[in-house]
Amino acid sequence: MKAGKKKLTVGRTVLWVVLILVAVIQIFPLIWLVDFSLASSNEMFTSGLLIIPEKIQWGNYVTAFIDGHVLLYLKNSIVINVLAVLLVVLVSIMAGFACRRMKWKLSNFVKTILLLGMMIPIHATLLPNFKIYSELHLTDTIWALLIPYVAFSLPQALFLMTGFIESIPLEVEEAAVMDGCGIYRIVFQIITPMLKPSIATVAIMTFLNNWNEFMMASTYLSSPKWKTLPFSVLEFTGQYSSNYAVQFAVMALTAAPAVIVYIILNKHITKGVAMGAVKG
């Protein structure tokens, strides 16, 4: 008995050491980012992994906030991401219900085509989309980002949503039909409230995936009107020199909302993915 308890204690100790090591490795980039954002530009070029600033440069954040147009770009990021989340949740619920509950010949084929979107890399669509948007005069508009954000988030959302929809007993819908409910009332008043864990997971993952996206934004946008928060970094990049310390401060400000959302809602992501995997 004592030998068994000793082995169990040693196993737990090893497990905790491994988990702490993994956590430190995962958190270190954030520590490094904040550390460099509080140093001066002259202290950037160091041989060590971290900097011990002679004087903490809180002014980097003030400069980043004011000169980086953080408020404007933050407003654009929030508007675009909120709209993207709403559209992805709405379309994934309707598409998931149509593909798994409604009887029509091409339901499985359509679902497969939509799920294949997870295999398409973003970079492969930049040039074709830019050509299409140019012809339709959609470049430098909110639609230039909203359309691809929804399109690339929808396959993953549909995958999670169909897993939850399949777990709902058919008797629920049959009872609703017996009570005289139409298709829209069944979907939005009966099925949707039962999908709260899945909706939370889809909303959070869509937000996190699109928040720091820069490749499509830099390709389709040119004027400040709809530029998102990552563009603030470019405000301190010059042709011959760059203010690296302030750039680190901008990156810290850009990453902060996503980190806060993830920390607060992490349990909902884990719970939603786990339930969808088991029930699907």
Side-chain angles (χ1 to χ4, degrees):
M1 291 291 291
K2 290 183 178 180
K5 289 182 178 180
K6 187 176 181 180
K7 288 182 179 179
L8 185 61
T9 302
V10 172
R12 285 182 176 178
T13 302
V14 172
L15 178 61
W16 274 105
V17 170
V18 172
L19 292 177
I20 292 173
L21 181 62
V22 172
V24 170
I25 294 174
Q26 294 290 327
I27 295 174
F28 180 78
L30 293 176
I31 298 174
W32 178 78
L33 178 63
V34 174
D35 178 55
F36 273 58
S37 70
L38 295 174
S40 64
S41 295
N42 296 330
E43 296 173 316
M44 290 288 102
F45 305 98
T46 177
S47 58
L49 290 176
L50 296 174
I51 297 174
I52 301 178
E54 294 183 4
K55 182 180 180 181
I56 296 179
Q57 303 293 327
W58 296 109
N60 291 340
Y61 283 90
V62 177
T63 303
F65 193 85
I66 297 174
D67 296 340
H69 307 293
V70 169
L71 282 180
L72 173 62
Y73 296 160
L74 177 62
K75 184 262 293 181
N76 292 341
S77 292
I78 292 175
V79 170
I80 292 172
N81 278 275
V82 167
L83 290 175
V85 167
L86 293 176
L87 287 172
V88 168
V89 169
L90 178 64
V91 174
S92 62
I93 290 175
M94 294 190 297
F97 185 85
C99 291
R100 305 316 301 169
R101 285 294 202 250
M102 300 176 71
K103 303 299 181 182
W104 47 296
K105 291 183 180 180
L106 299 178
S107 60
N108 289 328
F109 175 75
V110 170
K111 180 188 175 185
T112 302
I113 293 297
L114 291 174
L115 292 179
L116 284 175
M118 289 190 288
M119 302 175 60
I120 301 175
I122 294 176
H123 303 83
T125 67
L126 288 176
L127 185 58
N129 282 346
F130 182 80
K131 181 65 176 177
I132 294 172
Y133 293 159
S134 297
E135 293 293 330
L136 298 176
H137 304 289
L138 293 178
T139 54
D140 214 22
T141 68
I142 189 174
W143 298 105
L145 292 185
L146 199 55
I147 293 173
Y149 283 2
V150 172
F152 280 100
S153 301
L154 188 57
Q156 185 182 43
L158 178 64
F159 176 78
L160 293 173
M161 205 66 73
T162 51
F164 275 84
I165 291 175
E166 288 176 347
S167 70
I168 298 175
L170 283 171
E171 290 76 10
V172 174
E173 298 166 37
E174 293 173 354
V177 173
M178 294 289 290
D179 289 338
C181 292
I183 183 66
Y184 295 105
R185 190 175 177 187
I186 292 175
V187 173
F188 294 111
Q189 292 189 4
I190 296 176
I191 299 299
T192 298
M194 302 175 69
L195 297 175
K196 288 181 180 179
S198 181
I199 292 173
T201 303
V202 168
I204 296 167
M205 295 182 70
T206 300
F207 176 85
L208 293 176
N209 290 338
N210 294 329
W211 180 258
N212 288 324
E213 195 284 320
F214 182 70
M215 183 65 68
M216 287 186 288
S218 62
T219 302
Y220 305 141
L221 301 179
S222 57
S223 68
K225 183 178 180 181
W226 287 110
K227 284 185 176 180
T228 52
L229 202 51
F231 277 93
S232 296
V233 178
L234 299 182
E235 300 293 335
F236 305 98
T237 302
Q239 183 176 359
Y240 302 105
S241 64
S242 299
N243 193 336
Y244 296 110
V246 178
Q247 285 183 345
F248 277 104
V250 171
M251 287 186 282
L253 290 174
T254 303
V259 173
I260 293 172
V261 168
Y262 186 82
I263 292 174
I264 295 176
L265 303 176
N266 178 50
K267 64 178 183 179
H268 294 285
I269 301 175
T270 306
K271 180 181 178 181
V273 173
M275 290 178 65
V278 173
K279 292 181 178 181

